Each structure stands twice: as structure tokens, then as C-alpha cells.
Amino acid sequence: MSFLTLNSLSKIYGNFTAVDAVNLEVSKGEFVSLLGPSGCGKTTTLQMIAGLAEPSAGSVMLDGREITREKPNRRGLGIVFQTYALFPHMTVAQNVSFGLEMRKVGRAARDRRVAEALALVKLDQFADRYPRQLSGGQRQRVAIARALVIEPPVLLLDEPLSNLDAKLREEMQFELRRIQQTVGTTTIMVTHDQGEALSISDRVVVMEHGKMTQADVPAAVYDNPATEFISSFIGKMNNIPGIALRLGIQSSGVILPATDCPATEGEPAILSLRPERITIVPAGQGHLHGVVSARFFFGSHWLFNVDTAVGQIIVSWPNTDGSLPASQGQPVGLSWSPESARVSARTQETSRIDA
């Protein structure tokens, strides 16, 4: 049963439609990420849920109650911004306690709930410190504790980890998920970071040009993207244009196999293949032949650029034992399981991506 429901939610500024009739149902306790590039409408959607932006059309329902026109303070939602917005003159405990004081919660109950919130984010030993005495990750956890201490029905996160360095951001992703699962609060997070959304969400909602283009579990969004935009935006993807066959495509005179072929046979089509699903094999073997033009080291894996008859193909190779399958300038073959390739009809959108 839906706990938070967006019904045809829209926001229009003059002639510009920022959010276009978004429909979304979120279950109680679910962690949902709104994912998309800058300007896609994800933050505006969050602001309409929070009451910080008034919808041009549509409605917001919370636990069966319409809150579309309610003031933000009447909704009782917890909000964490990317800037933390902590009070510099207040201690950690005072920052976390502020929302409870505004709600006139008694001193004893307030102290208990603040202590519980700080323990939850592992900052109970920092209660008397000021924000300037904390690291970026610690300040972020204070902001999360302040939002959770009021026991909100929904927690809204607006790019909450964007100000952290790469390593700390990754650590905080898992910490954020741990906190959310411990409390069980329904959570909506806005992010442009694909890895962040895929790793900690129950569902990912991909937005493009104000529209919701796919809402699904992370693995389905990654493995079965609904549009060519999603296939290229989330992770890396090799998009190879050609003519649809019954089991694959023909491109530049080469037949490339696939089993998922909804495109009409004989019509323009595109084969999509993730770099990590491709295996480098000796020259003369595999489905496609080429020459390694470049390789890049990322620690846990290598990326190879392979020039082929159908264009440059990206291959991801895991760094399991330090060995490499090919050197720069070496002829190689490329192989993959047909089940891992996806064929779809070629659209104008696909042509823009290829350009």
C-alpha cells in the first residue's frame, strides 16, 4: 500500500515545464532515489513534496491525507540539505534538539531523544562540540540526526553527500543506508550520482526533462534500461547501430548476437552491451575483432578502448590478479554471452546519443 503518493505532480515556470505530470507511489519504509542530470526536475519534485515549492498541478498524498497545499512546518517531514545548514553557535546536541524545542517537547523527553539520535549516527561522544570542530562527514551525520530526531513520517535528502570527498562519500552512503534501515523511515533522496543511487536504494526513479522515465529496483534499471538515455546515463554502455536480425543485429557487415530482440527484423536497431559483460579473447576468436587503442587503470578494474569495424568498444576488465589480457596496439577478439546484449529499435534519441 502506498504511503507517499504523487499524482500527476507538475511544476511550470512561465513557458518552462520543470516537472511534468510525475506519478509515483512509495511504500512505508522504502528508500527511493530520484536520479537524473542537472535540470531534470528531481530537486523541484523534492521541494514540492517538502512544501518548499507550490505545484502547478497534481497532488501529494501522505498516509491517505492530502498535503499539497500545507505549509512545510505542518507536514512534519525531515529534510537534509547538501549544505548541512547547522547553527554554528550551537553545540551538536543543541542543533539536534532544536526541532524538538520548536515542537515544545518536554526537557526529559527531548534529552532522551537527542541522545538516541546521536547514538544512532555514532556521534554520542561529540554532543558538546560545535560544527566547526567536526569533519564534513560528522557534520552530515549531525544534519541527519537533527532530521530524524523529530520522528518524521518521511525523510527528504537533497544531494546530502555532494560536499564530501570521494572516499568519505562512499563511506557515508553505506552509513546513511544503515541509519535508514535501523529507523525504518520512508526516505526520498535526490542525487545525480548513479553509483550512489544504485548501491543504497530500494528503488531508483530516473528523471529526464521533467518526466519520470523509469522507476524500478536498481538491478533492473541497470540491466534493463527503459530508454537509450538511461542506458547511457547509468554506467557505461556500448551502443552499436545496425539492422535488426532475429537474434541480434548486422552492423558494418558484422553479425553481432543477442537474444533480447524486440526490434522489428530488417529495421534500424541498436545493440546495447555493458563493458563488463565483454571478454577479451585471442585475435581471430569471439564475435568481433579489433585492436586495443588505449587502456586506463582504475584500481579495481581496467578499461580498454578497442577499435573495431563497428566503432570503438569499451571493455571493463577486473583487476583480480594483476594480469592483463592485452597490451596497447594488440589485435584482440571480443566475446560476450548473447543473453547480456539488448537490441532495441533505433530512435531519434539514439541518434543524438551516437552523435
Side-chain angles (χ1 to χ4, degrees), residues 81-96:
F81 300 101
Q82 57 181 305
T83 55
Y84 313 147
L86 301 179
F87 297 113
H89 63 287
M90 292 184 179
T91 65
V92 167
Q94 290 169 339
N95 266 281
V96 175

Side-chain angles (χ1 to χ4, degrees), residues 156-309:
L156 303 176
L157 306 171
D158 184 12
E159 301 275 8
L161 309 180
S162 62
N163 287 333
L164 305 179
D165 63 63
K167 182 174 175 56
L168 183 56
R169 180 170 187 154
E170 183 174 302
E171 293 173 355
M172 277 301 300
Q173 289 174 17
F174 302 116
E175 183 69 6
L176 180 60
R177 181 57 163 160
R178 178 193 68 80
I179 293 168
Q180 188 271 336
Q181 288 181 320
T182 300
V183 180
T185 303
T186 306
T187 302
I188 310 294
M189 180 177 73
V190 162
T191 182
H192 65 271
D193 188 304
Q194 301 96 324
E196 188 171 279
L198 295 175
S199 63
I200 64 176
S201 307
D202 293 313
R203 273 193 303 155
V204 176
V205 176
V206 185
M207 297 188 68
E208 179 190 9
H209 301 312
K211 294 181 178 291
M212 187 179 78
T213 52
Q214 186 170 2
D216 213 329
V217 297
V221 173
Y222 186 83
D223 290 328
N224 299 293
T227 68
E228 302 301 337
F229 163 77
I230 296 174
S231 73
S232 296
F233 178 72
I234 297 182
K236 297 184 181 296
M237 182 71 83
N238 293 294
N239 288 318
I240 306 169
I243 301 299
L245 303 176
R246 188 173 65 86
L247 292 175
I249 69 168
Q250 179 172 316
S251 179
S252 299
V254 181
I255 295 177
L256 307 177
T259 55
D260 182 14
C261 301
T264 303
E265 190 170 355
E267 294 295 319
I270 187 164
L271 183 143
S272 299
L273 187 61
R274 293 288 184 190
E276 67 272 15
R277 306 291 166 81
I278 304 173
T279 301
I280 295 177
V281 296
Q285 299 180 23
H287 306 302
L288 189 58
H289 310 298
V291 176
V292 175
S293 59
R295 64 185 188 185
F296 307 93
F297 185 55
F298 289 87
S300 62
H301 67 283
W302 288 80
L303 279 184
F304 290 82
N305 289 344
V306 181
D307 292 338
T308 75

Side-chain angles (χ1 to χ4, degrees), residues 67-134:
I67 61 171
T68 313
R69 307 300 170 187
E70 284 191 5
K71 298 293 184 182
N73 63 318
R74 299 282 298 176
R75 302 187 186 203
L77 308 182
I79 307 175
V80 177
F81 300 101
Q82 57 181 305
T83 55
Y84 313 147
L86 301 179
F87 297 113
H89 63 287
M90 292 184 179
T91 65
V92 167
Q94 290 169 339
N95 266 281
V96 175
S97 179
F98 182 77
L100 298 176
E101 293 180 24
M102 294 298 98
R103 288 164 174 77
K104 302 189 184 304
V105 176
R107 179 64 180 269
R110 191 167 69 237
D111 290 346
R112 173 183 55 80
R113 287 167 62 175
V114 168
E116 291 173 349
L118 290 178
L120 178 68
V121 299
K122 300 180 181 179
L123 287 177
D124 40 327
Q125 301 299 315
F126 297 81
D128 295 328
R129 293 195 184 183
Y130 289 89
R132 65 179 179 274
Q133 298 172 309
L134 304 177

